[in-house]
Amino acid sequence: MIEYGRSIRWFNDYRDEIAFSDLHKFSFMQIWFMKGELLLDIAHIDDYNHLEKIIKVKFSKCIHIADKHFNVKHEHLPIGQGELDFEVVFNTCLKGYTGKIIFEVVDTDEEIIKFKSLIQRIFESR
């Protein structure tokens, strides 16, 4: 089963972040990550072939998602503002994924909820 989580917005009060996550049913928040497990950051792939090569080495149980332009090395855009096709990411490259998804975007509450809904629709349409 997919679990949805989110990165902490460090500029907000921690209690507010917990309340927001509880209210909107994010099952966890990333503060640190356990030793020895691969955290796959989708916003760092060069292209979909690069993602598939990474997956062949280790199929991650936890991923960061944010959007990006393929010609920019390190970019974490709000989902929908870059070139990543999350249908391709989850229905082709990460087909069968059942791990944790961390939304690595620093946006308004409304935008984060919108991003979560968009990704949930991809999984619900499988």
Side-chain angles (χ1 to χ4, degrees), residues 14 17-18 46 62 73 84 100 117 121:
Y14 183 68
E17 291 293 288
I18 291 171
D46 296 331
C62 187
K73 286 292 179 199
L84 281 173
K100 295 180 179 188
S117 294
R121 282 193 298 275

Side-chain angles (χ1 to χ4, degrees), residues 90-103:
F90 289 112
N91 290 332
T92 303
C93 302
L94 289 168
K95 188 174 184 173
Y97 185 77
T98 59
K100 295 180 179 188
I101 297 173
I102 298 171
F103 295 87

Side-chain angles (χ1 to χ4, degrees), residues 20-79:
F20 173 81
S21 293
D22 287 344
L23 178 65
H24 298 289
K25 297 180 177 41
F26 286 95
S27 58
F28 65 96
M29 297 187 309
Q30 182 198 5
I31 301 170
W32 66 87
F33 199 70
M34 295 177 71
K35 185 178 176 182
E37 186 57 49
L38 171 68
L39 172 62
L40 175 58
D41 192 331
I42 300 298
H44 291 272
I45 65 170
D46 296 331
D47 54 38
Y48 300 116
N49 289 330
H50 181 216
L51 175 57
E52 290 180 356
K53 287 178 185 176
I54 293 168
I55 293 165
K56 285 180 183 175
V57 173
K58 180 147 175 106
F59 197 87
S60 181
K61 296 176 187 172
C62 187
I63 60 174
H64 272 179
I65 62 171
D67 217 334
K68 69 168 286 165
H69 292 101
F70 285 112
N71 64 341
V72 178
K73 286 292 179 199
H74 190 168
E75 187 175 44
H76 290 87
L77 296 174
I79 294 170

Side-chain angles (χ1 to χ4, degrees), residues 6 9 20 24 26 77-81 103 105-119 121:
R6 45 183 295 277
R9 293 175 286 187
F20 173 81
H24 298 289
F26 286 95
L77 296 174
I79 294 170
Q81 292 188 15
F103 295 87
V105 291
V106 180
D107 274 295
T108 64
D109 294 357
E110 295 79 17
E111 289 293 307
I112 293 170
I113 299 307
K114 182 175 91 175
F115 304 149
K116 181 183 176 196
S117 294
L118 186 147
I119 298 301
R121 282 193 298 275

